Amino acid sequence: MFIVIEGLEGAGKSSAVALVNQIVAERFPEREIVNTREPGGTPLAEEIREIWKQPRQEPMAPITELLMVYACRGQLVETVIKPALERGAVVIGDRHNLSSVAYQGGGRMLADQVAALSTITLGEFSPDLTLYLDIDPAIGLERARQRGELDRIEQEKLSFFERARACYQAAAATDPRIVTIDASQPIEAVHQQIRALLELNL
Ligand code: TMP
């Protein structure tokens, strides 16, 4: 089983990932759990992540950003995720393809290129369940700002994140395997909802 946690900056992804790990471990004490994050999750993909996140003088062309994130995803899926699933592990992903649909497809307005690269890189491969933590970007970015310095993507305008959120919401409205959680609620309520959802879906 491949479970993914998605959402804009400041949505509370990290604590949701920790909770999903705990619930899966309680439910399947014998099963191996493999955690991934994107971009990254393999030594090579983590190196690309560093370059990718770093603010730089040379502007990164949107197509470069897109190709780099799919290079990472291809490496991660082929060398980590698919082998783990074949071994019977539960894979818990901190972001996956839906991030590209939202950030590059919506934020950068490259929806056609995202669709094409997604087909080339993943074919029919997709998560069994995605928990989408929905947050107003103005609130989420403020939380991210309080955590410290903003990376290259976090420095984008609010309108970029509003377009990304609209794409997340549109995808969640059409795909029953994407479940939306209102991340503006108190953390206890968010966690209770995640628990209830996993009890139904695991
Ligand atoms: P994070 O995992 O620490 O949130 O950082 C990843 C950043 O990269 C975040 O700003 C979202 C962005 N991102 C994309 O723009 N497209 C993608 O496909 C992925 C996986 C992440």
Side-chain angles (χ1 to χ4, degrees):
M1 174 169 260
F2 181 26
I3 306 168
V4 172
I5 293 86
E6 283 279 2
L8 294 178
E9 354 288 301
K13 251 179 334 101
S14 304
S15 72
V17 167
L19 178 67
V20 172
N21 267 274
Q22 191 188 321
I23 296 168
V24 169
E26 282 164 14
R27 186 76 186 260
F28 305 108
E30 308 296 316
R31 292 275 278 276
E32 178 192 4
I33 297 176
V34 172
N35 280 275
T36 63
R37 71 168 180 180
E38 297 191 32
T42 84
L44 172 58
E46 288 289 325
E47 280 186 42
I48 301 176
R49 176 188 173 97
E50 281 305 308
I51 298 170
W52 199 76
K53 288 193 83 166
Q54 190 65 43
R56 60 186 59 244
Q57 288 231 295
E58 177 187 352
M60 188 182 287
I63 190 67
T64 311
E65 175 181 293
L66 181 66
L67 290 169
M68 285 174 96
V69 82
Y70 272 94
C72 289
R73 183 160 302 129
Q75 181 70 9
L76 179 69
V77 168
E78 293 305 320
T79 68
V80 176
I81 299 180
K82 283 183 179 170
L85 294 174
E86 275 156 26
R87 290 196 301 275
V90 177
V91 179
I92 300 173
D94 179 342
R95 299 192 181 280
H96 185 58
N97 198 49
L98 189 54
S99 282
S100 297
V101 171
Y103 285 81
Q104 281 67 49
R108 301 272 183 240
M109 297 189 268
L110 294 175
D112 291 348
Q113 291 90 331
V114 168
L117 274 175
S118 173
T119 303
I120 292 168
T121 313
L122 303 170
E124 296 295 304
F125 181 81
S126 66
D128 299 293
L129 177 67
T130 299
L131 305 180
Y132 162 54
L133 300 168
D134 182 56
I135 189 92
D136 178 336
I139 300 171
L141 285 171
E142 188 46 42
R143 287 187 191 164
R145 223 167 268 130
Q146 283 169 8
R147 279 200 303 250
E149 258 180 52
L150 300 182
D151 66 29
R152 191 179 58 81
I153 301 262
E154 287 164 349
Q155 291 176 2
E156 285 298 329
K157 293 198 208 74
L158 190 60
S159 55
F160 172 94
F161 296 98
E162 281 165 350
R163 289 194 297 277
R165 185 191 196 191
C167 281
Y168 268 131
Q169 291 174 332
T174 53
D175 185 343
R177 292 178 309 166
I178 304 171
V179 184
T180 303
I181 293 159
D182 175 2
S184 68
Q185 305 174 90
I187 190 163
E188 296 76 25
V190 170
H191 283 194
Q192 209 173 3
Q193 206 177 333
I194 292 176
R195 240 179 214 290
L197 272 168
L198 289 185
E199 259 155 40
L200 268 179
N201 287 284
L202 282 185

